Amino acid sequence: MQNLAEGLVSNGAELIQLMLESPGHRFPEKADSNSPIHRIFIDTRIKPFHALVNLLGTESYHLTRFRQKSFRDGLLNLLKAEKFDVIQGEGLYTLGYLDDIRRHSKAFIVLRAHNVEHLIWERASRTSRNPALSFYLRLQSKRLKQEEYRIARAVDGMAVMSKEDL
C-alpha cells in the first residue's frame, strides 16, 4: 500500500490517506509519505458475545467488526472537508462504508481487492475440527460472500492482486 501511495504521489497525484488501524493492522508512527495521513484506530478483535448475537442477524460478523462509529465519523468529516476524484478502498473491509461514501461523494470508487475474503473463511470452515466452529464459519462465509459480491457490483472499478482473485 505504501509503494502504491508513493508511486501515485511521484507521478503527480494529490493523495490523502485515511488509515483504518486495528490491533492486527498497525502502521508505523512515522510513515514516510508526501501526503496527508489520517489514522483512526478501531478495535476489531473478535468478541464472543457479539459473535453469538450475530447469529440472530443476517450480516457478516467479519464485516460488522470493521463498521464502527469512530471510523465512520472520521470518514464523513474527511468527505465533507475534501472533494475527491477517486476513492480507493484497500480491501473489502474498508468498503463496509460504501453507502456512506456514495451519499457524501461523487468520486469514482475503486476496490483494491487483496483477497477473495469469503473463500478464506470457507476454507477455514472446512479445516476446522470443531463442528460448531465449522458451522459458524460456513455461515459467516456465505454472508460475507453476499456482501463481497454486493460491494464488487457497487464500486466503479476493481484492482485485484491475481488472476485467481479476478
Side-chain angles (χ1 to χ4, degrees):
M1 290 185 293
Q2 185 63 34
N3 288 339
L4 176 62
E6 290 171 8
L8 289 169
V9 171
S10 69
N11 283 287
E14 292 180 41
L15 181 70
I16 298 174
Q17 297 179 71
L18 175 61
M19 294 185 176
L20 186 157
E21 290 190 281
S22 67
H25 298 90
R26 300 301 300 233
F27 296 98
E29 280 301 314
K30 296 270 187 186
D32 294 330
S33 178
N34 294 325
S35 62
I37 297 176
H38 304 268
R39 303 162 186 266
I40 300 174
F41 180 85
I42 61 173
D43 185 358
T44 59
R45 290 178 293 186
I46 294 171
K47 297 172 180 74
F49 177 74
H50 293 140
L52 190 60
V53 169
N54 175 269
L55 285 171
L56 302 174
T58 59
E59 289 188 306
S60 162
Y61 181 61
H62 300 302
L63 273 180
T64 61
R65 291 184 302 123
F66 287 83
R67 289 185 189 136
Q68 295 186 21
K69 184 180 182 329
S70 61
F71 190 83
R72 182 178 184 268
D73 290 348
L75 172 63
L76 294 180
N77 288 337
L78 189 56
L79 291 173
K80 289 174 187 171
E82 303 285 343
K83 183 177 183 277
F84 295 97
D85 296 320
V86 177
I87 295 174
Q88 178 171 295
E90 284 290 331
L92 179 71
Y93 301 108
T94 62
L95 287 179
Y97 303 92
L98 183 58
D99 295 336
D100 290 314
I101 295 169
R102 286 274 185 229
R103 272 193 293 281
H104 297 280
S105 176
K106 299 201 181 306
F108 187 89
I109 301 173
V110 176
L111 166 60
R112 187 165 179 243
H114 296 242
N115 298 293
V116 179
E117 296 293 335
H118 77 272
L119 291 178
I120 293 169
W121 294 105
E122 185 180 290
R123 281 185 220 116
S125 77
R126 287 194 309 259
T127 59
S128 174
R129 293 174 191 238
N130 178 329
L133 180 59
S134 181
F135 165 81
Y136 187 82
L137 292 176
R138 193 169 37 259
L139 173 67
Q140 293 304 323
S141 172
K142 288 177 184 176
R143 290 178 178 182
L144 187 59
K145 181 178 182 178
Q146 290 175 333
E147 285 291 305
E148 197 163 19
Y149 279 46
R150 181 189 71 78
I151 289 170
R153 286 190 302 269
V155 295
D156 301 308
M158 290 183 65
V160 296
M161 302 296 126
S162 69
K163 287 182 181 181
E164 291 79 20
D165 291 347
L166 179 62

